[in-house]
Amino acid sequence: MSKEAQQEVSFEEAMERLEVIVSQLENGDVPLEQAIDLFQEGMKISQLCGAKLEQVEKKIEVLIESEGGLIKKTFAPANEDKGE
């Protein structure tokens, strides 16, 4: 998958392709050379998905009601939220 194709593919499409690759590798019916190529493609897709998730996480903002109206607060994942 070229860099241009990776940028245009949606997160869902990338995950579907990754699932196919994992299934093929787990099945064990592919020649070694093809397995290596699939593994490399899977690693690239995994990195792409991670980058897409980071981009989305940075864009998410949580609106919190306050006395003065609404204020914006940067999204914090649940495991990093200190209960504020």
Side-chain angles (χ1 to χ4, degrees), residues 14-57:
M15 287 300 297
E16 286 176 16
R17 177 63 184 146
L18 193 55
E19 288 176 13
V20 169
I21 290 170
V22 169
S23 176
Q24 288 177 321
L25 290 173
E26 286 180 341
N27 201 11
D29 290 339
V30 294
L32 179 60
E33 293 81 15
Q34 185 181 1
I36 292 170
D37 290 342
L38 286 170
F39 180 79
Q40 288 176 330
E41 181 183 356
M43 291 301 296
K44 288 177 185 177
I45 293 172
S46 176
Q47 291 171 351
L48 171 70
C49 288
K52 284 183 181 275
L53 286 175
E54 285 180 23
Q55 289 172 356
V56 170
E57 187 176 294

Side-chain angles (χ1 to χ4, degrees), residues 2-3 8 15 17 26-29 58 81 83-84:
S2 69
K3 283 191 176 189
E8 294 177 15
M15 287 300 297
R17 177 63 184 146
E26 286 180 341
N27 201 11
D29 290 339
K58 289 177 183 176
D81 190 4
E84 298 176 3

Side-chain angles (χ1 to χ4, degrees), residues 58-70:
K58 289 177 183 176
K59 292 179 182 179
I60 295 175
E61 294 179 332
V62 179
L63 295 175
I64 301 173
E65 284 186 291
S66 69
E67 293 178 13
L70 296 176

